[in-house]
């Protein structure tokens, strides 16, 4: 996600995280990030090199599927939590006014 690395760097400096530990984890994260995106580009080029429109449609379909899967998992998780912790009608009205946090 764009901007996360910058925010993490600033936060780690602000809280006084040890520089050696930060450098170790930051290097590992950068290597993992570069490897994964390079591999994804290579595989995408190998699979859709002759027809980039199919690659675009595949990417959009995959993103949509992941979004729907994430939403379904969140919905199921909320239902399981609600089943474990029933609330009274008064509590339900009060919770309905609070912004969603799950």
């Amino acid at each position: 996600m764009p901007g996360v690395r910058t925010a993490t760097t600033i936060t780690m400096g602000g809280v006084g995280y040890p520089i050696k530990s930060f450098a170790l984890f930051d290097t590992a994260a950068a290597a993992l990030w570069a490897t994964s995106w390079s591999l994804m580009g290579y595989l995408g080029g190998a699979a859709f090199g002759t027809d980039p429109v199919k690659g675009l449609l595949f990417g959009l379909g995959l993103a949509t599927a992941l979004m729907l899967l994430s939403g379904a998992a969140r919905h199921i998780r909320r239902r399981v939590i609600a089943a474990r912790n029933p609330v009274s009608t008064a509590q339900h009205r009060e919770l309905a006014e609070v912004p969603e946090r799950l």
Side-chain angles (χ1 to χ4, degrees):
M1 287 186 270
V4 173
R5 191 167 176 172
T6 302
T8 302
T9 303
I10 292 169
T11 302
M12 292 294 105
V15 299
Y17 196 79
I19 189 73
K20 288 182 181 181
S21 295
F22 174 77
L24 174 71
F25 291 119
D26 189 53
T27 301
L32 182 64
W33 175 85
T35 303
S36 64
W37 283 102
S38 296
L39 184 61
M40 193 180 313
Y42 175 79
L43 293 175
F48 303 109
T50 58
D51 194 358
V53 174
K54 284 184 183 175
L56 175 66
L57 294 174
F58 176 77
L60 291 173
L62 182 61
T64 301
L66 290 174
M67 179 189 66
L68 292 172
L69 182 64
S70 172
R74 182 175 175 211
H75 176 73
I76 291 168
R77 180 175 172 256
R78 290 181 70 198
R79 287 185 60 115
V80 168
I81 290 171
R84 288 183 189 163
N85 304 314
V87 295
S88 69
T89 306
Q91 288 173 323
H92 191 275
R93 280 191 207 114
E94 183 179 321
L95 290 173
E97 296 174 5
V98 176
E100 192 175 319
R101 293 186 192 147
L102 295 177

